[in-house]
Amino acid sequence: HLVNEAHAFGYSGRFEEARRLVEPALAAAVDAGALPAQLWFHLVLGEVWRDSGYGRRALHHFREAVALAEPAQQQASLVWSWVGVAQGHLLLGEVEPAGQALHEADAVDSPLATSWTTRDRTRAWLLAARGDLSAARRLVTEVADASAHDGMLGFESAARHDMVRFGDAAAVVDRLTDLVAVIEGPWVQALHAHAVAVAADDAEGPATERQPDV
């Protein structure tokens, strides 16, 4: 239940609230020797730091999840964990380690893997990092369309915003305008505002201050 609550905070962009919830829970799980709880708390914290743009911190938590998967007997979590490792590397511009991590995720034999949309969104990031923006845009559009079909509008908004990162903000401004009207929280508002500013070539558009990624 705590993981679900933290996801509700994190996926809506309330990152500080998610961390305040999970960090003491992780410390308690470490004290208690509760390995499965530690693993899932690391995964949540990895996502929170990833989505707020801190690649090194995200990478730390996703690597911890990888290390805990076998002793915690949580084999299915390895896909999610390795995908997170790939995402952390990509945030830092570390392309080849990201590709290797994604290969590790693909090699996991588990029927309870992370959603294909999360993995293919990461593949799109990798394509973009390797310079194939056309292929990256095609793939992330497939991910966004599938998320929309399944009613996963929060995931859709993140994938649509990837198109802004991949150089085609104009293609997604209208859809993000629709989504910002129905999705709660500051996260989608930030994605929408950024897309509008980029599409308008507005260098004075919204910006967010944060501490260096250490």
Side-chain angles (χ1 to χ4, degrees):
H1 292 305
L2 191 148
V3 166
N4 290 336
E5 185 178 356
H7 275 149
F9 280 129
Y11 290 159
S12 64
R14 296 179 174 91
F15 302 126
E16 184 177 351
E17 291 93 330
R19 290 196 301 269
R20 283 203 304 259
L21 191 67
V22 178
E23 286 172 348
L26 173 59
V30 170
D31 288 343
L35 298 185
Q38 291 176 43
L39 185 154
W40 291 102
F41 294 151
H42 276 298
L43 281 174
V44 172
L45 287 170
E47 289 187 325
V48 169
W49 286 117
R50 175 201 66 198
D51 290 344
S52 49
Y54 290 85
R56 295 189 193 284
R57 298 181 189 186
L59 199 51
H60 163 73
H61 288 289
F62 285 126
R63 282 173 168 164
E64 288 293 317
V66 168
L68 284 164
E70 184 173 347
Q73 299 183 335
Q74 297 282 317
Q75 180 76 1
S77 72
L78 269 175
V79 179
W80 193 356
S81 304
W82 277 118
V83 167
V85 170
Q87 291 172 330
H89 281 302
L90 286 167
L91 284 175
L92 296 169
E94 298 168 353
V95 179
E96 293 313 311
Q100 181 58 42
L102 202 52
H103 175 75
E104 294 288 350
D106 290 337
V108 176
D109 181 18
S110 171
L112 300 174
T114 188
S115 68
W116 74 265
T117 54
T118 302
R119 204 182 326 187
D120 274 10
R121 185 183 174 212
T122 309
R123 293 191 208 285
W125 289 13
L126 185 60
L127 287 166
R130 287 174 171 166
D132 194 346
L133 290 174
S134 294
R137 287 192 286 263
R138 285 194 301 271
L139 182 54
V140 84
T141 297
E142 291 176 10
V143 170
D145 289 347
S147 298
H149 179 269
D150 291 341
M152 303 294 289
L153 301 185
F155 292 150
E156 181 196 353
S157 68
R160 299 290 181 203
H161 182 258
D162 284 342
M163 286 287 283
V164 182
R165 293 167 156 173
F166 299 163
D168 195 359
V172 296
V173 166
D174 288 347
R175 180 56 181 164
L176 283 171
T177 300
D178 293 338
L179 291 171
V180 80
V182 295
I183 299 175
E184 179 185 355
W187 179 234
V188 69
Q189 294 171 13
L191 301 184
H192 173 254
H194 182 229
V196 169
V198 172
D201 196 21
D202 178 9
E204 300 301 321
T208 302
E209 293 185 3
R210 63 180 178 86
Q211 297 300 311
D213 188 2
V214 294

